[in-house]
Amino acid sequence: CPACGQPVEHFEGEVAWYCVNAACPAQLVRNVEHFVSRGAMDIVGMGTKIVEKLIEAGKVKDVADIFTLSRADILESVTKKDRKTEKEPPGKIADNLLSAINTSKSQSLSRLITALGIHGVGEVSAGDLASHFGNLDSLSKAGVDDLQQIEGIGPNIAEAIVDWFGRKANQKVLEKLKKAGVNPTFNVQRSTLNDSLAGLAFVVTGTLPTLSREGAKEFIESNGGKVTDSVSKKTSYLVLGENPGSKLEKARSLGVKVIGEEELKKLAGA
DNA sequence: CTTGAGGGTCGAATATCCTT
DNA sequence: AAGGATATTCGACCCTCAAG
């Protein structure tokens, strides 16, 4: 491994090699980055640079450490060089970060599962897993066969999940998270709020007038609809905003219906 | 067992928005 | 003004499923 010098391992059928050193700094950065990213725990204000600094300063050794960070820890890490400008520290960064971390504690179960970074489990699969198992404990006890019952989960992903939960280091992280108050359960209420969009699959392209991309997604999901990244024959509607990409072309060639934000809201009966 | 299509995930690239 | 974070798109590639 170029970053830590430890031997690397490559998995059957995979193109890339993986460093097996659980403490590899380069790996840690990527893990943490993914954990806090938009589709996962969504900790605003925490990007690559900040993550690197926190890790360099030794304040974050695993993903769970984020939740026990103190204001002093952050200040110390971020202002590592110019120690003499003690009197005017970048307090705003610290404050924003702390409150973002705090809000992220109540993030949904599916986001947390996404955040774990299991091979092959992204937002969509994580959502399926969340609604199927309801909480992390039952998911961690699931066997390969249980997992394969779920649509979209085959032997490879099932194995990856079992393997992830089987690792001691990961179990430890889960424990720490639980202790820090991060242990969400699947909220059934949310999915049964309104099912006017049930059975429909949406893809969003471009910038919508009032809803953000995230907002549109949540809106659709809370009304029972499904959102994916790519347009296909199974897509029910393409929600079109400004500056659309190639998805519009694809939708047209496949005969997928194209609607705007207004129509989306009408469909949902809002 | 092999192959191909349909779906989905991930990472890179790019443009724009915020904060010091 | 500059550095950093966010928002999107795009292409590469992997997984699943079903048909040959």
Side-chain angles (χ1 to χ4, degrees):
Chain A
C1 167
C4 67
Q6 294 290 309
V8 290
E9 181 180 304
H10 101 282
F11 296 110
E12 184 77 28
E14 296 270 350
V15 203
W17 283 265
Y18 293 88
C19 176
V20 287
N21 172 16
C24 170
Q27 238 190 131
L28 223 201
V29 172
R30 286 211 72 339
N31 273 330
V32 175
E33 231 185 300
H34 173 75
F35 189 85
V36 303
S37 70
R38 258 24 52 178
M41 296 302 273
D42 191 25
I43 300 181
V44 182
M46 213 163 162
T48 319
K49 294 292 171 185
I50 304 284
V51 169
E52 277 174 2
K53 283 176 186 168
L54 287 169
I55 290 174
E56 256 173 54
K59 301 301 180 189
V60 172
K61 295 200 181 63
D62 66 53
V63 128
D65 286 335
I66 294 171
F67 298 98
T68 51
L69 239 32
S70 72
R71 202 185 137 104
D73 286 336
I74 296 172
L75 289 178
E76 226 175 281
S77 316
V78 176
T79 57
K80 55 165 198 219
K81 273 244 163 85
D82 28 35
R83 285 271 88 222
K84 53 168 142 179
T85 58
E86 191 98 20
K87 54 170 179 117
E88 62 94 15
K92 189 139 192 186
I93 289 183
D95 289 334
N96 289 344
L97 202 49
L98 283 175
S99 80
I101 289 171
N102 207 39
T103 6
S104 79
K105 283 187 187 174
S106 47
Q107 210 62 260
S108 68
L109 177 62
S110 63
R111 275 171 176 276
L112 179 57
I113 296 175
T114 307
L116 297 179
I118 301 170
H119 254 344
V121 179
E123 285 178 54
V124 177
S125 313
D128 294 340
L129 290 172
S131 62
H132 197 273
F133 289 99
N135 60 58
L136 278 182
D137 278 337
S138 2
L139 174 58
S140 73
K141 291 190 193 103
V144 174
D145 294 334
D146 305 323
L147 292 163
Q148 285 192 63
Q149 300 305 309
I150 301 171
E151 202 190 326
I153 308 280
N156 288 356
I157 296 185
E159 169 112 25
I161 295 170
V162 171
D163 179 68
W164 194 94
F165 282 100
R167 287 175 192 264
K168 255 197 255 152
N170 293 333
Q171 285 294 343
K172 219 169 174 182
V173 169
L174 291 178
E175 274 308 304
K176 283 171 80 174
L177 283 174
K178 217 187 273 183
K179 232 179 235 171
V182 184
N183 187 23
T185 52
F186 181 71
N187 191 346
V188 201
Q189 240 183 345
R190 195 162 173 186
S191 58
T192 52
L193 245 180
N194 184 337
D195 57 356
S196 50
L197 301 183
L200 298 176
F202 295 82
V203 172
V204 184
T205 187
T207 312
L208 302 179
T210 70
L211 288 168
S212 71
R213 192 58 151 254
E214 246 338 273
K217 196 169 174 187
E218 269 169 31
F219 175 79
I220 292 167
E221 280 169 357
S222 67
N223 283 287
K226 216 179 143 195
V227 181
T228 59
D229 274 352
S230 40
V231 178
S232 67
K233 253 195 319 201
K234 289 193 178 172
T235 309
S236 319
Y237 293 96
L238 177 72
V239 183
L240 181 68
E242 209 143 326
N243 296 323
S246 59
K247 288 176 194 162
L248 178 57
E249 290 305 316
K250 194 160 178 189
R252 285 203 173 124
S253 70
L254 291 174
V256 171
K257 278 170 268 186
V258 177
I259 60 176
E261 185 181 319
E262 280 305 307
E263 289 153 282
L264 169 63
K265 284 179 175 163
K266 267 182 219 152
L267 269 179

